[in-house]
Amino acid sequence: MAFHTYSIVWNTQRIMFLVDNIPIRVFNNLESIGIPFPKSQPMRIYSSLWNADDWATRGGLVKTDWTKAPFTASYRNFKANACVWSSESACVSLSTNSLQTSAWQNQAPNAAERNRIRWVQQKYMVYNYCNDFKRFPQGLPAECKRSRFL
């Protein structure tokens, strides 16, 4: 059984999704050009196992191997380094380690991580809404016109 580390870094500049400390997706805050960014609501984490026979499997080309059932997920060493958002004040840390707290608040992918994101997306990404002209016949969303790696 393989275990992986899934991380989400959500700060005022971007949301980064990482697997085993490798960034796989970055959603930059582009409010300056009119693109909404989720900054004034709490973050929640949901996890589930689902039948991914369609959208997550190249439109059903890759079938679920049901002989491997039952499918299970387990979690260990769950850690949350977060703060409480308030409209009246800056981030109020819940961590006792101030150095650790401040690091994620400004975290951004460096050059090597940006290259790794490109590699992951070229090798493993099966769907990118920024290439889905059928879904957006009137034109792609504004964020698709910007570099994903700013």
Side-chain angles (χ1 to χ4, degrees):
M1 181 180 323
F3 287 92
H4 298 280
T5 300
Y6 297 91
S7 305
I8 301 169
V9 176
W10 185 339
N11 58 36
T12 58
Q13 297 89 28
R14 69 197 46 83
I15 302 170
M16 293 185 352
F17 299 89
L18 303 95
V19 177
D20 297 331
N21 295 318
I22 298 170
I24 60 166
R25 179 75 166 99
V26 177
F27 185 78
N28 290 298
N29 182 343
L30 299 174
E31 285 182 306
S32 62
I33 61 169
I35 298 169
F37 186 79
K39 65 176 187 193
S40 300
Q41 71 266 0
M43 179 176 134
R44 294 186 174 131
I45 298 173
Y46 294 95
S47 176
S48 68
L49 296 173
W50 74 98
N51 176 353
D53 270 348
D54 185 28
W55 70 270
T57 59
R58 299 181 187 185
L61 293 176
V62 179
K63 297 295 181 193
T64 302
D65 184 352
W66 295 106
T67 65
K68 303 235 189 310
F71 302 105
T72 61
S74 61
Y75 305 90
R76 63 181 182 193
N77 300 324
F78 179 84
K79 296 178 190 138
N81 186 359
C83 63
V84 177
W85 182 86
S86 167
S87 60
E88 289 87 37
S89 65
C91 179
V92 178
S93 174
L94 299 177
S95 173
T96 57
N97 182 339
S98 61
L99 179 61
Q100 184 183 29
T101 299
S102 63
W104 66 266
Q105 291 181 21
N106 297 304
Q107 188 172 340
N110 61 31
E113 290 170 326
R114 287 190 301 273
N115 286 335
R116 190 70 167 169
I117 292 169
R118 286 183 192 98
W119 178 84
V120 166
Q121 290 180 348
Q122 288 170 354
K123 187 166 175 66
Y124 296 105
M125 183 184 285
V126 296
Y127 175 78
N128 180 352
Y129 71 94
C130 285
N131 296 329
D132 194 342
F133 296 99
K134 281 186 183 177
R135 182 176 176 192
F136 301 106
Q138 306 305 323
L140 297 173
E143 68 266 20
C144 295
K145 296 172 180 72
R146 300 288 303 251
S147 170
R148 297 176 302 201
F149 309 109
L150 295 176

